[in-house]
Amino acid sequence: MTRAIRVKNTEDIQKINKIVTKFPFDVWIHGKSGMVDAKSLLGMFLLSLNEPLSLVIEDDIDAKLVKKLFSDLEDYLDIEDDDE
């Protein structure tokens, strides 16, 4: 499952990282320059913030957990973008 995500600055990186580390599944952020583990703060700081980014999780994650993740990240996600 993929959602567009807005990461504007280092404060956003830290907040997003803090949120995703609470979840028991892998969360990735993909951009044109590559992909990073969103649970890795160091990896997150390698993101190029001036390109479109996507939050990616596996399709088989419990729907309740996905809903909670998206709710927690609502300030950063474009919910209408759905590549399911």
Side-chain angles (χ1 to χ4, degrees):
M1 182 177 307
T2 303
R3 296 284 188 270
I5 187 166
R6 295 177 305 277
V7 184
K8 298 177 185 170
N9 53 44
T10 58
E11 186 176 320
D12 286 355
I13 287 172
Q14 292 171 334
K15 288 179 181 178
I16 292 167
N17 176 262
K18 186 174 182 179
I19 291 167
V20 300
T21 55
K22 297 176 185 177
F23 291 87
F25 49 85
D26 292 336
V27 180
W28 299 91
I29 297 186
H30 290 220
K32 291 179 181 177
S33 59
M35 71 176 187
V36 299
D37 180 351
K39 292 183 179 184
S40 166
L41 191 55
L42 180 60
M44 292 280 288
F45 278 109
L46 296 174
L47 288 171
S48 177
L49 302 182
N50 58 354
E51 66 182 41
L53 299 171
S54 298
L55 181 96
V56 179
I57 60 173
E58 295 291 327
D59 289 332
D60 61 352
I61 305 299
D62 182 294
K64 290 179 185 177
L65 289 175
V66 172
K67 185 175 182 177
K68 174 71 172 138
L69 174 67
F70 291 166
S71 173
D72 290 356
L73 291 173
E74 70 183 337
D75 292 340
Y76 308 100
L77 295 179
D78 293 325
I79 297 300
E80 67 277 359
D81 178 25
D82 188 358
D83 291 344
E84 286 187 282

